[in-house]
Amino acid sequence: VKVVVVEPGAVKTAMPERGIATAEELQQDMSTAQLERYGDLIDAATAQARSFSDVGVPAEHAARIIAKAATTRRPRTRYTIGR
């Protein structure tokens, strides 16, 4: 069995922005107790998602690497995408 690992990093897609919007909407509806418990976690997760826009590689670049890993005759054991 041949195995190829594609390690994802930051990739610029619309997904982080949708996640940020959803998190912000949910955060607005949280009680004070929920915000105390989960507010810092939500802030950290949305900051991480925002960083993808700054340091991420274009989705087309990621797709080329994945396609190469899947179709090359003798693929490398590991491919990395983004940072």
Side-chain angles (χ1 to χ4, degrees):
V1 175
K2 293 182 180 183
V3 176
V4 175
V5 176
V6 178
E7 295 180 286
V11 178
K12 293 179 186 179
T13 67
M15 188 172 69
E17 289 303 319
R18 288 193 306 262
I20 290 167
T22 300
E24 289 173 346
E25 288 174 22
L26 291 171
Q27 201 170 19
Q28 290 175 2
D29 294 334
M30 287 184 171
S31 68
T32 302
Q34 289 170 325
L35 286 171
E36 287 175 5
R37 181 173 283 179
Y38 302 112
D40 289 342
L41 178 62
I42 293 169
D43 292 342
T46 55
Q48 172 89 30
R50 281 189 179 93
S51 76
F52 285 6
S53 297
D54 298 332
V55 299
V57 297
E60 295 78 13
H61 175 75
R64 282 193 297 274
I65 292 172
I66 293 167
K68 180 179 178 181
T71 60
T72 192
R73 183 172 168 92
R74 294 191 179 166
R76 297 188 326 235
T77 303
R78 175 166 286 149
Y79 294 82
T80 57
I81 297 174
R83 295 180 183 196

